[in-house]
Amino acid sequence: MKILILGSGGREHALAWAVKQNPKCDTLLCAPGNAGIAKIAKCQALDIENADAVLSFAQENSVDFVIVGPEAPLVSGVADLLRKNGILTFGPDKAAAQLEASKNFTKEICIASGAPTATYGHFTDATTAKAYLKAQGVPIVVKADGLAAGKGVVVAMTMDEAEQAIDTFFASEFGATGAKVVIEEYMEGEEASLFVLCDGETALPVGTAQDHKRAFDGDEGPNTGGMGAYSPAPILDKETLSKAMDEIVYPTLRELVARGITYQGVLYVGLMIKEGQPRLVEYNVRFGDPECQVLMMRLGAQAFDLIEATARGTLTEARVNWAQDHALTIVMAAKGYPGNYIKGSVINGLDQFPDTSKSMCFHAGTTKTPTIITATGGRVLNITARAETLRTARDSAYALAEQIDWPEGFYRTDIGWRAL
Ligand code: AMP
Ligand code: GLY
């Protein structure tokens, strides 16, 4: 098969790495890709949020199958158009992508389906929002309704912080995104994510993970897209996982079907777990980044069979071949991330990095010139290792991270601390 992956992050490199190992993959294309992906796939610059451009590219290159990595193309209807034109595609339609694009939509689905989540209010003006805030008190969580690249959530411990967040979201910072605000109950507990493949009929869990959102050790510093992750998440034991499926995932999928929406792709279920009881924090309509890196490291080549079965609607026949293993990934970011960071610094030591089924350096924001690799993004590399225990996976990932010679980069030294 000729397979096209859309995206340019560590998630897409991990997907490409797994797909490439599957004998069904004859040719692998990626748009736009990065320096790491370019080693295993033909990369092409392309505006992946422009559905017409993606369709033309796929048709011109006789692509058999498109795997959509990030949420933005899904929200803009890329999967809809590809499928309409007969191209097999992994990733939900625009209507289903509302689960990530609109927090209010997700809350409505939860209420209609009885899925446990934080109680909430949805507001279109600051005065009503503040009146609700006053009645609820703190701690409380204020969220911009739409996609805000991870900047649309404020967990407020004081009334001042909460009011300021309301004002900010209603002001221009997030443009249309801030036009609506969701205020919700602060949930206590431990966070973990569950990844479920859905083909419209069948839902199949393909792994659990925990990531580290804060920039610095000890969960300090600003929120980021994720500084590291590990899989499995010990808190999502068998019983809690089956509760999450029965009380949250299946009711959600049934409610979507009742509204005429079919969900096809991976559902990222962000959970807060307290005393064995999971509640929904959020849905995303794609694999997590960096969670995908640890999931792919554990699944290997079978990941493509599962992804293909999802797109073809044959998940009911699919099985995950689990190994008793653990994977951990460390994100190396450019100093200054998630704020302003230097671009164009040189990374050495990548040539010696072992590329095996147990260790991989997945690239995110990298670019290759004829002779060197430079850092062009905030999150730049994902040092990923797999082993029989989490501790060994962690030790191995940190030993490998030390081999990378990149003075302008930094990473957390405590990935996995909670589970260890
Ligand atoms: P979200 O974009 O909805 O995932 O929110 C980002 C992060 O904010 C989550 O991963 C949680 O750490 C935190 N968060 C969001 N909603 C809540 C909530 N209701 N209670 C506690 N923490 C929350
Ligand atoms: N690592 C969090 C996310 O992908 O949304």
Side-chain angles (χ1 to χ4, degrees), residues 5-255:
I5 296 177
L6 300 182
S8 61
R11 166 181 50 213
E12 287 75 24
H13 190 186
L15 285 166
W17 176 81
V19 167
K20 184 79 181 184
Q21 291 172 44
N22 192 296
K24 286 181 199 152
C25 176
D26 301 314
T27 310
L28 186 59
L29 305 172
C30 185
N34 60 40
I37 299 174
K39 285 207 264 179
I40 52 170
K42 187 169 172 277
C43 292
Q44 171 69 42
L46 184 69
D47 176 3
I48 60 168
E49 289 174 43
N50 179 335
D52 292 320
V54 174
L55 177 64
S56 301
F57 178 76
Q59 285 173 333
E60 279 158 22
N61 289 279
S62 313
V63 166
D64 300 303
F65 188 22
V66 179
I67 300 172
V68 186
E71 65 278 14
L74 298 167
V75 173
S76 69
V78 167
D80 304 51
L81 189 68
L82 290 170
R83 272 195 282 270
K84 203 170 121 197
N85 284 273
I87 297 178
L88 197 62
T89 302
F90 176 81
D93 282 352
K94 190 175 176 170
Q98 289 298 301
L99 281 183
E100 177 161 359
S102 168
K103 297 195 188 297
N104 188 49
F105 175 81
T106 298
K107 286 294 188 189
E108 283 177 8
I109 297 280
C110 285
I111 290 172
S113 66
T117 184
T119 55
Y120 87 115
H122 177 240
F123 306 94
T124 49
D125 72 277
T127 315
T128 326
K130 284 180 187 172
Y132 179 83
L133 166 69
K134 216 168 242 157
Q136 299 296 316
V138 285
I140 202 152
V141 183
V142 183
K143 299 184 177 185
D145 186 34
L147 291 183
K151 292 180 195 149
V153 177
V154 171
V155 178
M157 292 297 161
T158 65
M159 286 303 255
D160 266 3
E161 268 179 286
E163 284 186 3
Q164 213 176 333
I166 292 171
D167 288 335
T168 310
F169 291 161
F170 278 116
S172 58
E173 196 183 338
F174 297 110
T177 293
K180 293 182 205 150
V181 163
V182 167
I183 301 183
E184 64 178 46
E185 171 199 351
Y186 172 75
M187 294 187 285
E188 273 177 29
E190 189 175 329
E191 277 187 86
S193 321
L194 165 63
F195 295 86
V196 185
L197 293 179
C198 310
D199 68 357
E201 297 273 330
T202 305
L204 180 72
V206 287
T208 62
Q210 280 178 296
D211 77 346
H212 295 65
K213 289 203 161 81
R214 301 298 192 105
F216 309 130
D217 283 9
D219 290 335
E220 304 268 349
N223 262 321
T224 70
M227 292 300 292
Y230 51 92
S231 172
I235 183 131
L236 267 171
D237 55 27
K238 229 174 164 177
E239 207 174 309
T240 313
L241 192 148
S242 85
K243 262 192 190 170
M245 291 299 291
D246 292 342
E247 296 174 15
I248 301 173
V249 177
Y250 292 125
T252 296
L253 296 174
R254 280 196 295 270
E255 179 57 30

Side-chain angles (χ1 to χ4, degrees), residues 261-416:
I261 299 172
T262 321
Y263 194 97
Q264 189 264 78
V266 61
L267 187 63
Y268 169 139
V269 190
L271 298 166
M272 189 69 82
I273 298 146
K274 195 182 171 195
E275 289 155 10
Q277 180 60 50
R279 292 170 85 193
L280 183 74
V281 178
E282 62 164 347
Y283 280 129
N284 293 313
V285 298
R286 46 160 180 93
F287 282 111
D289 187 345
E291 294 92 325
C292 187
Q293 288 80 311
V294 284
L295 295 180
M296 291 305 127
M297 181 113 263
R298 293 186 65 210
L299 292 169
Q302 67 173 322
F304 181 71
D305 297 323
L306 297 166
I307 285 171
E308 187 195 8
T310 304
R312 290 194 191 280
T314 56
L315 263 185
T316 173
E317 297 151 28
R319 293 287 170 275
V320 184
N321 193 1
W322 292 112
Q324 289 301 325
D325 61 1
H326 298 255
L328 182 140
T329 190
I330 305 159
V331 171
M332 296 183 89
K335 279 181 186 163
Y337 173 80
N340 288 330
Y341 51 82
I342 329 150
K343 283 187 184 171
S345 56
V346 179
I347 308 169
N348 288 307
L350 288 169
D351 288 343
Q352 294 84 19
F353 200 96
D355 169 352
T356 72
S357 67
K358 292 198 163 166
S359 61
M360 254 314 279
C361 173
F362 295 121
H363 289 222
T366 60
T367 305
K368 190 175 174 5
T369 70
T371 50
I372 52 168
I373 290 187
T374 59
T376 46
R379 291 190 294 170
V380 175
L381 300 170
N382 304 260
I383 314 299
T384 313
R386 180 167 70 91
E388 273 173 31
T389 67
L390 183 60
R391 193 171 296 276
T392 325
R394 180 200 58 180
D395 293 347
S396 153
Y398 274 109
L400 290 164
E402 276 173 29
Q403 292 180 18
I404 308 272
D405 173 14
W406 181 34
E408 290 80 10
F410 79 99
Y411 54 89
R412 280 181 61 158
T413 63
D414 63 349
I415 301 303

